[in-house]
Amino acid sequence: MNIPIQQQRQQIRQQIRQSRQNLTALEQQKAEQNVTQQALQLIETRKARHIALYLSFDGEISTKKLIENLWQKKIDVYLPVLHPFSKGHLLFLKYETSTPMIKNKFGIIEPKLDVTKVFPTQKLDIIFTPLVAFDKQGNRLGMGGGFYDRTLQNWQQKHFIPVGLAHACQEVEQLPVEIWDIPLAQILIG
Ligand SMILES: Nc1ncnc2c1ncn2[C@@H]1O[C@H](COP(=O)(O)OP(=O)(O)OP(=O)(O)O)[C@@H](O)[C@H]1O
Ligand SMILES: [Mg+2]
């Protein structure tokens, strides 16, 4: 029997989120170390100065060490913020130690909207994206909002490259993809 694609995608989301939450503190630590090293290497190779990241939750690899490292190197870090009017879209705001943070409608911590801190997406060098599941082709399944699919549209014609960060347990053989899904340029596995 053919299971509808939406249902397949929901099942994968549930399964992978569960295995991610089951990772031990030590596994999480090692993954963070691995992915931080790989990300710093990539940033150096590309001479990237403007990096979009995200604050981890739900068992995602922690981005804390990476962000602290970038701050030390005086490389600018930006975080996604829900667009106030344009539904389903993201803005990227500069993230510093002094940035006032708020909880958005999804319960996710984000910088408080301040137009002077908005950085044009097309000027970013790398957008690191969270993801729930991925496959070898670089296909990406997120939490289901389509936020990154909108952000990454036609990225090949833009300046930035989209790079996913993931635990090995988030890989699946082949993701059931939809026409609007945007594959990633690269995925760093922790
Ligand atoms: N470029 C787009 N324009 C309009 N709607 C879109 C676009 N991209 C995705 N969507 C819509 O967003 C919804 C969720 O998409 P999807 O299930 O692929 O989310 P996701 O990739 O898991 O989430 P996210 O990108 O936030 O991590 C879908 O209903 C889809 O129609
Ligand atoms: Mg998608």
Side-chain angles (χ1 to χ4, degrees), residues 130-188:
L131 56 88
V132 176
F134 69 98
D135 66 20
K136 285 224 161 33
Q137 283 69 52
N139 292 310
R140 163 185 183 282
L141 189 69
M143 292 288 282
F147 290 98
Y148 279 96
D149 287 320
R150 292 183 187 86
T151 303
L152 303 182
Q153 266 187 338
N154 305 313
W155 65 262
Q156 287 88 343
Q157 287 139 48
K158 296 181 185 168
H159 178 69
F160 66 80
I161 58 160
V163 178
L165 302 179
H167 292 284
C169 70
Q170 291 174 250
E171 181 169 347
V172 299
E173 186 57 39
Q174 195 171 20
L175 272 182
V177 293
E178 299 273 21
I179 38 154
W180 58 77
D181 285 326
I182 310 289
L184 299 167
Q186 205 176 327
I187 296 162
L188 306 184

Side-chain angles (χ1 to χ4, degrees), residues 39-55:
L40 289 172
Q41 187 84 65
L42 176 70
I43 289 163
E44 199 173 302
T45 311
R46 298 188 69 91
K47 301 197 183 342
R49 305 298 307 170
H50 302 283
I51 313 289
L53 268 155
Y54 56 91
L55 299 182

Side-chain angles (χ1 to χ4, degrees), residues 67-84:
I67 291 173
E68 284 167 0
N69 252 287
L70 294 175
W71 280 342
Q72 258 177 25
K73 293 180 193 289
K74 308 274 179 244
I75 293 175
D76 293 337
V77 176
Y78 304 86
L79 292 181
V81 170
L82 297 179
H83 196 290

Side-chain angles (χ1 to χ4, degrees), residues 55-155:
L55 299 182
S56 319
F57 86 119
D58 192 48
E60 288 168 348
I61 296 183
S62 174
T63 53
K64 196 165 173 269
K65 288 209 172 74
L66 178 54
I67 291 173
E68 284 167 0
N69 252 287
L70 294 175
W71 280 342
Q72 258 177 25
K73 293 180 193 289
K74 308 274 179 244
I75 293 175
D76 293 337
V77 176
Y78 304 86
L79 292 181
V81 170
L82 297 179
H83 196 290
F85 331 114
S86 189
K87 204 173 166 280
H89 289 258
L90 298 173
L91 292 173
F92 289 89
L93 265 72
K94 183 139 177 210
Y95 180 44
E96 297 160 292
T97 42
S98 60
T99 304
M101 305 296 281
I102 56 140
K103 219 179 226 189
N104 70 22
K105 64 174 178 182
F106 298 113
I108 294 171
I109 307 285
E110 62 175 34
K112 185 173 182 291
L113 189 53
D114 169 351
V115 285
T116 67
K117 301 284 181 184
V118 175
F119 192 73
T121 307
Q122 65 271 18
K123 286 193 179 171
L124 289 165
D125 297 315
I126 304 180
I127 298 183
F128 285 104
T129 83
L131 56 88
V132 176
F134 69 98
D135 66 20
K136 285 224 161 33
Q137 283 69 52
N139 292 310
R140 163 185 183 282
L141 189 69
M143 292 288 282
F147 290 98
Y148 279 96
D149 287 320
R150 292 183 187 86
T151 303
L152 303 182
Q153 266 187 338
N154 305 313
W155 65 262

